[in-house]
């Protein structure tokens, strides 16, 4: 791990030095800055009036079970400061609706592109550790990211983290994409690492079939968390099957497993059963999406998906199994999801209901509209 960290540091310093020489020669050139954005607004309704929209069961009958909400109001700024260097900032202004501490700023990183095979990134970004890291939230085929994405993000493997990475791709009969990352692992917008430990992770994606866009991803990582060793691993598969001239079936599936150190350290030491190795999470989802390309005036397509997900935050101990179904109907306007209307329901079923917690059966209907800026 130390060798990998040294290599990342040396490569990053070299990249910044070389790029600094380029900038010195190009002071007179204009820096290109682009701005994009995303707006998502929702109406949510929970069929159980004793469960709020965060999934928390209330015993006093005071749950907020329906609400209008701004989910995301993102602004992204990208600056191309040389032919090899880009700086990206991504803000979610919707985070101001609650305590914005450790929120709002999502991406803040610099990239140095040496060539297609070897590039470097440093700052706050989403390290590649799964299929859901490969695309933004506005193009996912369900209402939101999966439960496993959230859990592995909380444990420092996915979502927005602070660190550095090396990535690249090869072409040929078997195209390969890869990324090697080292991050603090204590999530975004933190003043500093909280335990001096680091998360080392990797992803390798193989393009098995160009015609059907079949890709398989292999993910793995090791970490040191508060002096204890932790791991995470996963595999994912995706592809598209044409059914007719305008009809296609897009499919993706993913499996992950790893230590749940967030759960382990949240339990009082005297109540823990064994060490961190005894606390592991496991997740699987399958997401088919039926797409009909209409291309009639501004309506581009209609889609229907239904994601099934199994997730257990602590599968070595009984009682935390969770199954989730998310059927969704989507209408895409213009192109590339520039405008979209989605209607779906998130159905959670637990092996064991626990009153007064978020581990309680519920069904939440969601109507969402989104537009790119």
């Amino acid at each position: 791990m130390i060798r990998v960290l040294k290599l990342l540091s040396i490569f990053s310093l070299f990249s910044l030095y070389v790029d600094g020489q380029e900038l010195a020669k190009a002071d007179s050139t204009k820096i290109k800055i682009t701005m994009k954005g995303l707006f998502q607004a929702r109406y949510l309704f929970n069929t159980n009036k004793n469960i709020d929209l965060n999934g928390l069961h209330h015993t006093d009958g005071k749950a907020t079970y329906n609400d209008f909400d701004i989910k995301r109001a993102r602004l992204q700024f990208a600056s191309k400061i040389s032919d090899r260097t880009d700086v990206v900032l991504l803000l979610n202004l919707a985070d101001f609706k609650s305590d914005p501490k450790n929120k709002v700023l999502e991406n803040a990183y610099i990239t140095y592109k040496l060539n297609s095979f070897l590039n470097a990134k440093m700052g706050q970004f989403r390290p590649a550790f799964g299929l859901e890291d490969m695309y933004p939230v506005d193009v996912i085929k369900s209402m939101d990211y999966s439960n496993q994405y959230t859990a592995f993000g909380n444990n420092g493997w996915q979502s927005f983290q602070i660190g550095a990475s090396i990535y690249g791709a090869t072409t040929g009969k078997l195209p390969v994409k890869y990324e090697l990352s080292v991050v603090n692992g204590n999530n975004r917008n933190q003043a500093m690492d909280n335990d001096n430990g680091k998360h080392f992770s990797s992803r390798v994606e193989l393009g098995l079939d160009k015609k059907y866009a079949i890709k398989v991803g292999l993910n793995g990582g090791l970490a040191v968390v508060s002096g204890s060793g932790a791991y995470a691993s996963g595999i994912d598969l995706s592809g598209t099957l044409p059914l007719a001239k305008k009809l296609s079936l897009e499919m993706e599936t993913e499996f992950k497993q790893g230590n749940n150190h967030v759960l382990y350290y949240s339990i009082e030491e005297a109540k823990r059963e064994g060490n961190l190795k005894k606390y592991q999470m496991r997740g699987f989802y399958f997401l088919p999406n039926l797409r009909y390309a209409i291309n009639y005036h501004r309506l581009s397509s209609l889609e229907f998906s239904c994601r099934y997900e199994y997730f257990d935050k602590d599968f070595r101990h009984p009682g935390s199994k969770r199954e989730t179904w998310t059927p969704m109907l989507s209408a895409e306007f213009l192109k590339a999801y520039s405008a979209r209307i989605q209607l779906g329901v998130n159905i959670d079923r637990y092996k064991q209901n626990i009153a007064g917690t978020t581990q309680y059966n519920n069904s939440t209907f969601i109507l969402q509209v989104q537009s790119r800026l």
Side-chain angles (χ1 to χ4, degrees), residues 38-232:
L38 171 68
F39 174 77
Q40 285 183 338
R42 290 178 163 188
Y43 173 74
L44 304 96
F45 177 84
N46 199 313
T47 57
N48 188 331
K49 297 183 179 180
N50 292 317
I51 298 178
D52 67 24
L53 298 174
N54 294 316
L56 179 63
H57 178 257
H58 291 250
T59 57
D60 56 5
K62 296 183 179 180
T64 299
Y65 59 87
N66 77 95
D67 182 44
F68 286 100
D69 177 50
I70 297 177
K71 179 67 174 179
R72 293 177 178 89
R74 283 178 166 173
L75 286 177
Q76 175 177 296
F77 302 88
S79 175
K80 191 170 186 63
I81 61 178
S82 80
D83 61 337
R84 294 186 177 183
T85 308
D86 297 304
V87 178
V88 176
L89 297 177
L90 178 62
L91 309 175
N92 184 12
L93 303 182
D95 283 336
F96 282 114
K97 65 190 176 186
S98 58
D99 184 359
K101 184 180 179 180
N102 301 329
K103 298 179 181 179
V104 183
L105 181 63
E106 295 186 333
N107 279 332
Y109 62 84
I110 184 170
T111 63
Y112 181 81
K113 298 179 180 179
L114 187 62
N115 51 51
S116 60
F117 309 107
L118 187 60
N119 308 281
K121 181 188 300 182
M122 181 175 287
Q124 182 169 285
F125 57 93
R126 293 198 298 161
F129 198 74
L131 187 59
E132 293 175 289
D133 294 310
M134 298 298 102
Y135 44 71
V137 69
D138 50 316
V139 301
I140 64 173
K141 308 303 181 181
S142 193
M143 296 304 304
D144 215 325
Y145 290 121
S146 65
N147 299 322
Q148 65 168 268
Y149 176 87
T150 302
F152 279 82
N154 291 338
N155 278 269
W157 299 108
Q158 297 186 273
S159 192
F160 304 102
Q161 309 291 336
I162 302 175
S165 73
I166 292 175
Y167 62 97
T170 65
T171 57
K173 292 184 178 180
L174 183 65
V176 177
K177 293 182 180 179
Y178 78 92
E179 183 166 339
L180 304 173
S181 304
V182 52
V183 299
N184 288 336
N186 58 327
N187 297 306
R188 58 177 171 162
N189 303 327
Q190 303 294 330
M192 62 183 69
D193 194 354
N194 61 347
D195 62 355
N196 291 312
K198 295 293 181 285
H199 284 53
F200 295 84
S201 64
S202 63
R203 173 177 172 81
V204 177
E205 183 179 282
L206 308 175
L208 301 181
D209 189 288
K210 185 176 181 180
K211 179 180 179 181
Y212 298 109
I214 299 176
K215 301 175 183 178
V216 61
L218 305 173
N219 313 280
L222 297 173
V224 176
V225 182
S226 299
S228 298
Y231 86 99

Side-chain angles (χ1 to χ4, degrees), residues 12 29-30 41 93 128 130 201-202 232 241 243 250 262 270 292 310 344 361:
S12 298
T29 62
K30 293 184 179 180
L93 303 182
S201 64
S202 63
L241 178 65
L243 301 178
E250 302 166 321
V262 171
Y292 180 66
Y310 166 92
N361 293 346

Side-chain angles (χ1 to χ4, degrees), residues 285-358:
Y285 75 79
F286 174 65
L287 174 55
N289 180 68
L290 191 64
R291 175 183 174 87
Y292 180 66
I294 295 179
N295 296 321
Y296 180 75
H297 295 293
R298 291 182 174 85
L299 180 61
S300 298
S301 70
L302 292 176
E303 298 182 15
F304 175 75
S305 68
C306 184
R307 181 174 66 195
Y308 166 77
E309 181 173 4
Y310 166 92
F311 182 72
D312 196 329
K313 65 181 180 181
D314 184 18
F315 69 84
R316 292 190 178 276
H317 299 91
S320 55
K321 175 184 174 183
R322 176 184 184 181
E323 292 183 289
T324 304
W325 289 265
T326 310
M328 183 193 75
L329 181 64
S330 172
E332 174 194 6
F333 297 89
L334 304 177
K335 291 185 178 180
Y337 297 117
S338 294
R340 193 181 190 189
I341 299 177
Q342 299 160 272
L343 176 63
V345 56
N346 196 76
I347 305 169
D348 276 323
R349 294 295 180 264
Y350 294 90
K351 184 175 182 180
Q352 178 182 353
N353 286 330
I354 302 177
T357 71
T358 56

Side-chain angles (χ1 to χ4, degrees), residues 194-291:
N194 61 347
D195 62 355
N196 291 312
K198 295 293 181 285
H199 284 53
F200 295 84
S201 64
S202 63
R203 173 177 172 81
V204 177
E205 183 179 282
L206 308 175
L208 301 181
D209 189 288
K210 185 176 181 180
K211 179 180 179 181
Y212 298 109
I214 299 176
K215 301 175 183 178
V216 61
L218 305 173
N219 313 280
L222 297 173
V224 176
V225 182
S226 299
S228 298
Y231 86 99
S233 61
I235 183 171
D236 54 76
L237 179 68
S238 62
T240 300
L241 178 65
L243 301 178
K245 184 178 180 180
K246 295 184 177 181
L247 188 65
S248 61
L249 179 62
E250 302 166 321
M251 294 179 287
E252 62 182 63
T253 184
E254 188 166 2
F255 170 84
K256 282 199 185 74
Q257 181 173 308
N259 295 116
N260 193 341
H261 61 80
V262 171
L263 173 63
Y264 176 75
Y265 287 109
S266 69
I267 301 173
E268 294 181 20
E269 188 172 357
K271 296 182 180 179
R272 295 172 189 163
E273 299 179 11
N275 56 23
L276 180 56
K277 294 180 181 179
K278 297 293 184 181
Y279 289 81
Q280 297 188 41
M281 54 186 172
R282 177 186 290 167
F284 163 82
Y285 75 79
F286 174 65
L287 174 55
N289 180 68
L290 191 64
R291 175 183 174 87

